[in-house]
Amino acid sequence: MATVAEQFIEVLRQTGVERIYGVVGDSLNPVVDAIRKAGGIEWVHVRNEEAGAFAAAAEAQVTGRLAVCAGSCGPGNTHLLQGLYDAHRSGAPVLALAAQIPSTQIGTGFFQETHPERSFVECSHFCETIASPGQMPRVLRTAVQRAIGLGGVSVVVLSGDVADLDVPQSLGEHDLLTRTGTVMPPADQVAELAAALNRAEKVMLFCGAGARHARDEVMALAGRTLAPVGHALRGKEWIQYDNPYDVGMSGLLGYGSCYEAMHQADLVVLAGTDFPYDDFLPGARTIQIDHDAARLGRRTPLELAVHGDVGATVRAVLPHVTQKTDRRFLDRMLSRHVKALEDVVEAYTHDIEKHRPIHPEYVANLVDELAADDAVFTADTGMCTVWAARYLTPNARRRVIGSFWHGSMANALPHAIGAQFADRGRQVVSLSGDGGLAMLLGELLTVRQHDLSVKTVVFNNSSLGMVKLEMLVDGLPDHGTDNAPVDYAAIAAAAGIASLRVEDPADVREALRTAFATPGPFLLDVVTDPDVLAMPPHVSAGQVKGFAVAAGKIVLTGGVGRMIDMAKANLRSIPRP
């Protein structure tokens, strides 16, 4: 007869789970011991349960399979929250085990008592307590199925004393769903979509992560309608590469002519995207295609809502779409896109090999050039996400993982841990901001303990750069955004990780080559310019006014030198003749 804990682990083995990320604790003892006895599942010791949840999220996104994390009772499982919010909002299938205090003490205000069955409801599809052995294995299998089937988090709450009890029924065999089906659009919606595409003279396609398996179909539709194709951040890695219709990205991190194309089109088709920034959408002339009916129309008014998988929908509609022949709109947007890249994006990395402090764009550009063709990049929320969005080149083999929906800081290193565990032979590069790295700095010890070949590139500007920009746009002088300088290379070396610190731009290329070629973990600490700004593709009059007001306040408070430094840092964005 097996205990609840032993059966719990056996269900995970049947599901194909290979590891559990967490920190051991007394309420988890029966589960950890079941792992020890069963074999086949690795316990990955992290320094903070938050990092364990982030790692599970990244593993799930890289592999497409269920990943698991665990937290002991009280503080142990509340630490999971940040990473689970990130996993859930990213659609990563993750199961979290939230251990609980002894079952007889629940409701008495016992030591470390919390109520995880309440705490995790908002960041999960399923959150239930196993209070008796008779609930096993069905409740756990239900949790697993919800995480895989709906794409997101399931949480199972389990007291240590219950985990030690014997289960009366045997486990048996069970076929868990591991691949979901395809949502086919209704015929009448396909007909309306075809009619709208044929009526419109200027069509624009805007794609998100939902177009991941529909790249060929999107390209075929763009060719049939001569439509510029833009993408959201999470659509970049699936749509941008080898795309003859590419006009870049929209949103706060955008570039190119995507925004302009969207607003000049007669018809915009949102394909597999839940793009949240409605200020960047035209607010009219829009059709949305999504396999999740709940997302349709929640960002912008729609002329037509199409419930279907992007690939299936486009395959259904293509035979009914007339080939357009007028390329003027497409060619104009492609020309604008090239000009935008030449005048702005490429200018950031033009002739700056001698510029100190080092421009972060230059570093990101070299990372893109020197990294492996199948590398996994993880990017901290903030300016590192900007550089990843603008400088990393997708090619159908690379992956870019970040907290793109939840927007949590400190995600890059623990995401890299999960990605590296998923495939130890694959290059994994963490683009870490110094602010984010400092939050979960202890995870460098996790990297070292497990000998993970993670390459951590620290964009060390001693500042919370994105927060500084947000303050300036709001008309506020930056305050509380600067950190004391820290030598992260020295910290890494003290932890037993090979490292280098770079302050001269002439040394960046060789330092990156060394980092990527060195076996095992490596940290490259690059001292970068704190005054770099990243402006979106469309800046409102209010934002311009806010920046001007902030500049005035800085000058009036004696900060004119800082404004001069910032102006010099951004001169390179001015178009060159």
Side-chain angles (χ1 to χ4, degrees):
M1 186 175 291
T3 65
V4 170
E6 290 166 346
Q7 201 171 88
F8 193 103
I9 296 305
E10 187 57 33
V11 169
L12 296 186
R13 288 183 58 183
Q14 289 182 353
T15 309
V17 172
E18 297 180 2
R19 63 192 58 85
I20 300 175
Y21 302 91
V23 179
V24 296
D26 60 349
S27 53
L28 279 172
N29 283 348
V31 173
V32 174
D33 193 53
I35 293 171
R36 178 189 64 81
K37 290 187 293 187
I41 290 183
E42 178 182 10
W43 177 265
V44 177
H45 173 58
V46 294
R47 266 50 187 190
N48 188 307
E49 292 89 351
E50 178 181 343
F54 276 124
E59 178 185 327
Q61 290 177 78
V62 170
T63 65
R65 301 191 303 270
L66 183 76
V68 182
C69 58
S72 57
C73 64
N77 64 59
T78 57
H79 280 160
L80 292 171
L81 272 167
Q82 199 72 276
L84 292 184
Y85 266 101
D86 172 71
H88 192 57
R89 302 197 72 190
S90 299
V94 169
L95 174 72
L97 170 58
Q100 180 58 297
I101 63 172
S103 59
T104 56
Q105 299 289 353
I106 295 173
T108 69
F110 192 69
F111 175 66
Q112 292 190 325
E113 181 173 5
T114 60
H115 293 88
E117 74 281 0
R118 304 175 194 170
S119 305
F120 292 96
V121 168
E122 189 176 350
C123 61
S124 65
H125 291 303
F126 180 93
C127 183
E128 298 293 345
T129 300
I130 295 177
S132 71
Q135 293 174 270
M136 281 291 291
R138 186 168 62 168
V139 168
L140 179 57
R141 283 173 170 162
T142 301
V144 168
Q145 201 62 81
R146 291 291 290 273
I148 295 173
L150 295 177
V153 170
S154 283
V155 179
V156 173
V157 182
L158 179 63
S159 292
D161 59 313
V162 175
D164 246 345
L165 298 175
D166 290 333
V167 181
Q169 60 269 24
S170 63
L171 182 61
E173 297 295 326
H174 181 70
D175 181 27
L176 281 161
L177 173 75
T178 56
R179 290 183 299 140
T180 56
T182 299
V183 180
M184 304 299 296
D188 60 329
Q189 292 177 11
V190 172
E192 291 183 61
L193 174 60
L197 290 168
N198 288 330
R199 280 195 307 269
E201 293 183 6
K202 297 180 293 183
V203 177
M204 190 268 184
L205 308 180
F206 186 68
C207 302
R212 174 177 182 174
H213 300 296
R215 174 187 164 73
D216 292 344
E217 289 85 349
V218 168
M219 295 302 114
L221 181 60
R224 187 72 56 88
T225 58
L226 299 180
V229 178
H231 54 267
L233 176 57
R234 294 183 68 218
K236 173 185 173 76
E237 57 185 327
W238 314 116
I239 294 298
Q240 184 187 36
Y241 68 92
D242 296 335
N243 179 357
Y245 312 100
D246 178 49
V247 291
M249 187 169 75
S250 192
L252 295 173
L253 312 182
Y255 58 88
S257 62
C258 183
Y259 177 90
E260 187 176 3
M262 189 179 292
H263 284 260
Q264 290 190 17
D266 299 328
L267 179 66
V268 175
V269 179
L270 305 179
T273 179
D274 191 28
F275 185 72
Y277 303 108
D278 55 316
D279 288 346
F280 288 85
L281 298 173
R285 314 179 310 280
T286 302
I287 291 174
Q288 185 176 1
I289 304 169
D290 206 292
H291 74 280
D292 185 347
R295 295 174 182 165
L296 294 169
R298 73 173 177 177
R299 306 300 181 190
T300 185
L302 300 177
E303 287 189 3
L304 176 64
V306 181
H307 181 213
D309 174 82
V310 174
T313 300
V314 175
R315 287 192 297 272
V317 80
L318 266 176
H320 309 289
V321 177
T322 304
Q323 177 66 55
K324 297 188 185 300
T325 58
D326 188 345
R327 292 184 54 97
R328 286 177 295 177
F329 175 59
L330 171 61
D331 290 344
R332 186 167 71 253
M333 291 302 104
L334 292 176
S335 296
R336 299 275 178 89
H337 181 59
V338 170
K339 186 177 186 332
L341 294 182
E342 289 177 345
D343 291 351
V344 180
V345 178
E346 290 186 3
Y348 281 127
T349 54
H350 176 74
D351 194 27
I352 58 172
E353 290 85 353
K354 300 178 181 179
H355 209 92
R356 300 180 68 167
I358 299 169
H359 287 316
E361 309 94 328
Y362 177 61
V363 180
N365 194 56
L366 288 179
V367 168
D368 178 60
E369 176 187 330
L370 299 173
D373 286 343
D374 65 344
V376 178
F377 301 95
T378 62
D380 261 334
T381 295
M383 301 305 292
C384 286
T385 295
V386 176
W387 312 139
R390 295 185 177 180
Y391 290 97
L392 297 183
T393 305
N395 61 2
R397 299 174 64 203
R398 286 177 164 181
R399 292 299 313 274
V400 181
I401 306 292
S403 187
F404 301 143
W405 267 106
H406 188 49
S408 173
M409 291 179 63
N411 63 285
L413 181 58
H415 271 162
I417 289 170
Q420 194 71 83
F421 265 112
D423 187 347
R424 282 183 173 268
R426 192 172 185 181
Q427 186 182 77
V428 176
V429 182
S430 172
L431 305 180
S432 296
D434 60 309
L437 180 63
M439 282 186 171
L440 288 174
L441 189 60
E443 299 313 316
L444 287 175
L445 303 178
T446 302
V447 170
R448 181 68 189 90
Q449 176 175 338
H450 298 288
D451 195 27
L452 299 173
S453 297
V454 172
K455 312 304 180 186
T456 304
V457 180
V458 185
F459 289 71
N460 189 353
N461 63 1
S462 300
S463 174
L464 301 178
M466 182 62 78
V467 179
K468 177 183 289 190
L469 174 60
E470 291 165 347
M471 286 182 171
L472 293 173
V473 167
D474 283 342
L476 303 172
D478 61 285
H479 181 73
T481 59
D482 294 333
N483 306 315
V486 175
D487 187 339
Y488 288 99
I491 292 174
I497 295 175
S499 63
L500 285 172
R501 182 174 171 90
V502 179
E503 299 181 29
D504 188 332
D507 298 332
V508 174
R509 180 182 292 274
E510 189 57 36
L512 280 169
R513 283 180 172 151
T514 299
F516 292 161
T518 300
F522 197 102
L523 184 143
L524 180 61
D525 185 13
V526 185
V527 180
T528 58
D529 191 341
D531 291 319
V532 168
L533 299 180
M535 302 305 288
H538 174 73
V539 182
S540 69
Q543 290 171 326
V544 173
K545 180 181 178 182
F547 189 85
V549 169
K553 290 178 180 177
I554 290 174
V555 172
L556 290 173
T557 55
V560 64
R562 291 166 57 207
M563 287 307 300
I564 292 172
D565 291 341
M566 189 175 295
K568 288 180 178 179
N570 288 282
L571 275 176
R572 60 191 180 281
S573 65
I574 298 176
R576 289 177 172 76

